[in-house]
Amino acid sequence: MAQSKGMVVLAYSGGLDTSCILVWLKEQGYDVIAYLANIGQKEDFEAARKKALALGAKKVYIEDISKEFVEEFIWPAVQANALYEDRYLLGTALARPCIARKLVDIAQREGAQYVAHGATG
């Protein structure tokens, strides 16, 4: 068995892109911890947990961060009238730094050397 290249915490959704990158990271020799952030979306988190583990994740963290997402990101954006093309709130874009902050917290807690995402593009 080859020695691990290190541990990576992956922002994971359970979808095609993040599932493929989880497998790819494993194939490259990394130990992977999957992190799923609940920011209030309707999601089958237990199915995503099972999928991540079946694909080879060492651990899976699922955290409800919806309260801090609303209080620290959404509410200030509403107050600032942060709209995209003057039409709609930047909800998805606002979620990224909230999720990234937790991703780094877990990496520090676990002693991981890397963080990653599998977002398209």
Side-chain angles (χ1 to χ4, degrees), residues 25-40:
L25 287 165
K26 294 272 306 150
E27 289 173 350
Q28 300 308 305
Y30 295 94
D31 293 323
V32 180
I33 295 173
Y35 171 64
L36 289 88
N38 177 355
I39 57 167

Side-chain angles (χ1 to χ4, degrees), residues 11 35-41 63-76 90-106 109:
Y35 171 64
L36 289 88
N38 177 355
I39 57 167
Q41 74 274 31
E63 293 184 345
D64 184 344
I65 60 172
S66 56
K67 184 176 188 289
E68 63 195 271
F69 178 51
V70 170
E71 291 176 354
E72 299 175 31
F73 294 85
I74 296 293
W75 181 235
L90 298 168
T92 301
L94 291 171
R96 302 292 188 241
C98 186
I99 294 167
R101 181 170 67 186
K102 288 297 184 174
L103 195 68
V104 170
D105 286 347
I106 290 169
R109 193 178 331 156

Side-chain angles (χ1 to χ4, degrees), residues 8 10 12 15-32 34 51-57 118:
V8 58
L10 172 66
Y12 183 77
L16 179 63
D17 293 334
T18 59
S19 294
C20 287
I21 198 69
L22 191 158
V23 172
W24 183 83
L25 287 165
K26 294 272 306 150
E27 289 173 350
Q28 300 308 305
Y30 295 94
D31 293 323
V32 180
K51 186 175 184 179
L53 291 170
L55 293 172

